Amino acid sequence: MLRLVHKLCPSHFPGALMMCMCLVASLGAPLCGVSPVSGSLEVLVRTPVSVRRGHTITLPCWYNPPQSADGLEVSWYRNYDAPIISYRGKKFENASQDASYVGRVSFGLKDAASAGLTEGDVSLKLEKATVKDAGDYICYVSSERGYDRATVSLSVTEVGTSPLLSAVWEEDNMIPNAKDHLLKEDSAVIPSQNLSKEIKDEYVNITLEQTESPHLTIQGSRLRNAYGAYSDGDAVTCLTAVKGTSGFSSGQHYREVSLGGEDPNVPLKESWWVGVTSRAVLPQVSNFWPTTLNGCWFLSSSPDGLQFNTEPSVSPPVSSRPQTVGVFLDHDHGELSFYNVEEGCLISSLTTTFKGDIFPLFNPGLYPLLSLILSSDLQV
C-alpha cells in the first residue's frame, strides 16, 4: 500500500515545499521519509515508537545511501524551535539546544547490527522519558548531495502501576461506576463530600497581595482585570494572576469567591482561575503556564467550560456554571476541593502532597470586565 501525504515544510529548510511520502509495507514496520528535493539523499525512519515513563528509547532514523556523517549536518527538532540535537562539522553545537533535553539526548543505534554514524545511522537516543516528551520528532539531514527530513512519533506510557490520575464526580447523588484513568505525575482528581457546615466553619479572610501590574485593579476584597489590550491576545495568563498575602503550612481553610450574578442583567464571569500555589513569587509573564507540576493547583473557567490545570487537563462535567466558588484546602491530607456554593454541591477535588506554605491564587481573566469578589466575614 502506498500513501502520499503533502505537507508544507518550514521556510528555513531549503526550498519552499517538500512532498512527504510515507511507504507502509504489508509486513514489518512502516518506513517514512520525505522525497529528496535535491540530490539523492533520503532519510528513512521507523515510526511510531513507544516508551515507558522514566525509561530510555531510541527513535530510529537513518539515511540512504549509507555514508559517514562526518561531512553532514544532522538536526533533530520538535516544532522547529530550538534543536534537540545539532551536529555539524564533526561536532555538536549545543549553544541553542532545547533546555529540556540537555543531558538526556545523544545519537543511538537503530538496531543491534547498526554501525552508527559511520554508516548513516542518526537515530536519536532519549533518556528519562517524561509525559511531556510525547509527540512528533523531526530528523533533518543535509549534505552536498542533497537534503531530506522525516518524522518519528513517540508515545510515553505508564504501565504496571496504580493509576496516577483518576476522576469521579457526584451527579444527582449518584457516583458513576465508570472511572476515567488519566496519566498524571503528581495529582489525582477524587470525589469528596458536599459542602457542609463543618467545612464552612474553617472560613478564613484573604488579603490580596498588592501589585503594580497594569492588568489588574485591586480594591479591598475585589479583584478585577483592567481595561486595555493584552500582549497575549485573548489568552488568560499569569499577567492577570495574583496571590493571597498569607500562606497556610497546615490545617484546613475555606474561602468563597463570587463570580458575579447579583444583577440578572449582567452575565456570570466566564474567564477566571481560583486555587492555590506553593510559589513564593508568581511570574508576571505571559509565557509561564502554571500547572500542578510547577506548584499551582487551580480550577479555571473559559467560554468552553471548567477545567483543572493538571497534565493532562481534566474537565469536570458540570451542568451549570457556579455563581460562587467555595475553595476548601486540607493541607495535612493534601486535598483541595471546589464547591458550587449556591447549589451546596461538590464540583470536584484535587489530591496531592502539599509542602510548606500554600498561598491562595486568583485570576480574574479578561472578559467580561467583572470583578472576582472575595467573601469577607462569612456568616455560617
Side-chain angles (χ1 to χ4, degrees), residues 4-27:
L4 291 178
V5 181
H6 301 272
K7 297 181 180 179
L8 182 63
C9 298
S11 59
H12 65 267
F13 286 135
L17 292 175
M18 295 183 182
M19 179 179 291
C20 300
M21 180 172 68
C22 180
L23 177 62
V24 183
S26 59
L27 295 176

Side-chain angles (χ1 to χ4, degrees), residues 31 35 63 71 73 95 108 196 215-217 282 297 361 372:
L31 299 179
S35 300
Y63 50 85
E73 175 185 345
S196 65
H215 306 295
L216 292 172
T217 299
L282 198 62
W297 300 266
L361 172 65
L372 294 185

